[in-house]
Amino acid sequence: MSQDRYSRQRLFVPIGKEGQNKIKQKHVLLIGVGALGTSNAEQLVRAGIGKLTIVDRDYVEWSNLQRQQLFTEDDAHSRIPKVVAAERKLREINSEVTIEAHIMDVQREEIESLIPGTDLVLDATDNFDVRLLVNDACQKYRVPWIYGGCVGSHGMSYTIIPGKTPCLHCLLESVPLGGATCDTVGVIGPAVQMVTAHQGAEALKILVEDQEALFGKLITFDVWNHQYTGMKVNRIQRADCPSCGMERTYPFLSPENQAKSAVLCGRDTVQIRPSRKMDRDLDDLRASIHEGQVEQNPFLLSFEIGDHRMVFFKDGRVLVHGTKDITEARRMYHKVLG
């Protein structure tokens, strides 16, 4: 492989040859492969990360194409899982990188199996339940992670170093981090790219082991109205925080906080998780459905009936589109599966 691939990055003095070698030895876990995830993944792969693990529970839809840069119309037409489409494109960009992809809904069991052995976690999710889960796991395993959020023309980012900075649980007690979503007020591509520019720069600092260069503030901005703020938050760290304080209980890793059914953030969609791990046979499922329109690929089966669409994944999960009512979603689920 050509030695010129990373030449411009090595010329940047804070990275240099030594830093490039460190990047090649590091493992990053990226949770969420949507707008922030695809941009962060591409940056890391082009930078020469040694190993990248990508995790996402969803598939590509037409509304994703405006800002989720690794996906194509073919991916949306075929409803390809995001991690599958992203992995394919990332391998074309840099065949030297080890990429591990998981079609997975991240809950306690999953996050505890993914984080050990990683050097950095990047947040590219779309809801705070998962972020708080990630926050607790990173505190427990002492792994740095970088929070990122984006909606409309607004964005924010913050780097969390266990034992040194306030954690996300501390922040939520003191700083309003917003409640709007991309599905309610939209989002523009430049705001996405600005968030991932901050996340990517902070990630490189951690990967080359230059933590002294970390910004150390909560970054917020409005790219449309030209507003930009760096907020000092070091004083809000709480000694009694159950996630990072003196007597930690990691509340968001407790089994009772793991939901089996949930309304997806900002969408008329309910996700239902099976009570136990399974490997669903999609061919058998298709043979059992005798009404409605059915589409299938190697990763999922989509079933439309009336105003609803149900998407069945091989891991047992089901997305019920067209409702926010968990009771109604579960009724449809049991009607199809028995």
Side-chain angles (χ1 to χ4, degrees):
M1 197 65 66
S2 172
Q3 295 301 308
D4 292 332
R5 170 177 286 234
Y6 309 112
S7 61
R8 301 303 186 270
Q9 191 163 274
R10 288 198 306 270
L11 285 171
F12 181 62
V13 174
I15 294 180
K17 183 177 180 180
E18 182 180 354
Q20 188 64 53
N21 289 335
K22 289 179 179 178
I23 293 171
K24 189 176 181 179
Q25 296 167 12
K26 298 297 171 59
H27 177 193
V28 174
L29 170 61
L30 175 63
I31 301 179
V33 189
L36 298 179
T38 51
S39 179
N40 273 309
E42 183 168 344
Q43 288 187 59
L44 288 166
V45 165
R46 291 189 183 278
I49 188 66
K51 180 178 179 180
L52 176 65
T53 297
I54 56 176
V55 185
D56 195 283
R57 66 186 178 183
D58 216 342
Y59 56 91
V60 182
E61 299 183 271
W62 290 95
S63 62
N64 301 150
L65 301 182
Q66 165 253 345
R67 66 199 180 281
Q68 299 184 17
Q69 64 191 52
L70 293 178
F71 306 139
T72 67
E73 291 184 355
D74 284 343
D75 297 326
H77 178 75
S78 302
R79 296 194 177 104
I80 299 297
K82 290 183 176 182
V83 294
V84 174
E87 179 185 19
R88 183 185 306 151
K89 188 65 176 289
L90 293 170
R91 290 188 187 281
E92 292 176 354
I93 292 171
N94 192 343
S95 60
E96 295 180 337
V97 176
T98 298
I99 299 172
E100 187 176 294
H102 298 279
I103 307 170
M104 180 186 290
D105 178 44
V106 175
Q107 293 293 326
R108 176 183 61 88
E109 185 177 349
E110 290 84 4
I111 197 68
E112 295 234 43
S113 69
L114 289 167
I115 282 190
T118 59
D119 299 289
L120 172 67
V121 177
L122 278 176
D123 164 39
T125 66
D126 61 0
N127 71 80
F128 273 98
D129 288 338
V130 177
R131 286 172 174 139
L132 287 166
L133 187 73
V134 170
N135 181 69
D136 272 12
C138 285
Q139 293 297 324
K140 180 177 179 179
Y141 292 99
R142 312 292 286 180
V143 176
W145 74 284
I146 304 175
Y147 161 71
C150 187
V151 64
S153 59
H154 298 263
M156 58 179 62
S157 179
Y158 180 62
T159 302
I160 297 170
I161 308 295
K164 292 186 178 181
T165 69
C167 76
L168 184 64
H169 201 163
C170 294
L171 257 65
L172 288 175
E173 294 291 323
S174 305
V175 182
L177 297 181
T181 73
C182 299
D183 296 281
T184 57
V185 302
V187 63
I188 58 173
V192 172
Q193 297 303 320
M194 184 169 283
V195 172
T196 61
H198 286 292
Q199 286 185 295
E202 294 283 276
L204 287 174
K205 296 172 190 177
I206 292 172
L207 295 174
V208 302
E209 301 170 12
D210 185 11
Q211 291 196 12
E212 294 299 318
L214 292 171
F215 188 52
K217 298 179 182 178
L218 172 65
I219 300 165
T220 64
F221 65 83
D222 180 344
V223 69
W224 195 266
N225 294 303
H226 312 288
Q227 298 172 350
Y228 187 97
T229 304
M231 184 186 308
K232 292 183 178 180
V233 294
N234 55 302
R235 292 186 179 180
I236 68 173
Q237 190 166 13
R238 298 165 43 210
D240 64 346
C241 175
S243 296
C244 72
M246 299 297 291
E247 297 182 7
R248 305 173 189 181
T249 59
Y250 308 117
F252 300 98
L253 289 178
S254 62
E256 58 267 24
N257 283 333
Q258 309 310 304
K260 295 300 180 185
S261 303
V263 180
L264 297 196
C265 181
R267 299 164 64 181
D268 286 331
T269 301
V270 173
Q271 175 180 261
I272 300 173
R273 285 170 55 104
S275 57
R276 56 182 173 78
K277 281 190 173 183
M278 64 182 300
D279 185 6
R280 172 170 283 137
D281 189 316
L282 298 179
D283 293 328
D284 284 352
L285 176 62
R286 182 165 192 160
S288 71
I289 297 175
H290 303 294
E291 59 178 321
Q293 180 180 348
V294 180
E295 297 179 4
Q296 183 180 349
N297 64 39
F299 313 101
L300 55 84
L301 182 147
S302 177
F303 167 53
E304 292 192 21
I305 182 168
D307 296 328
H308 298 87
R309 177 159 50 88
M310 302 179 72
V311 180
F312 299 84
F313 291 86
K314 295 186 72 174
D315 65 0
R317 289 182 301 113
V318 179
L319 298 182
V320 183
H321 296 282
T323 183
K324 293 180 181 178
D325 187 327
I326 291 177
T327 301
E328 180 186 12
R330 294 191 68 84
R331 178 185 59 77
M332 295 180 64
Y333 172 87
H334 289 299
K335 181 179 179 181
V336 174
L337 297 179

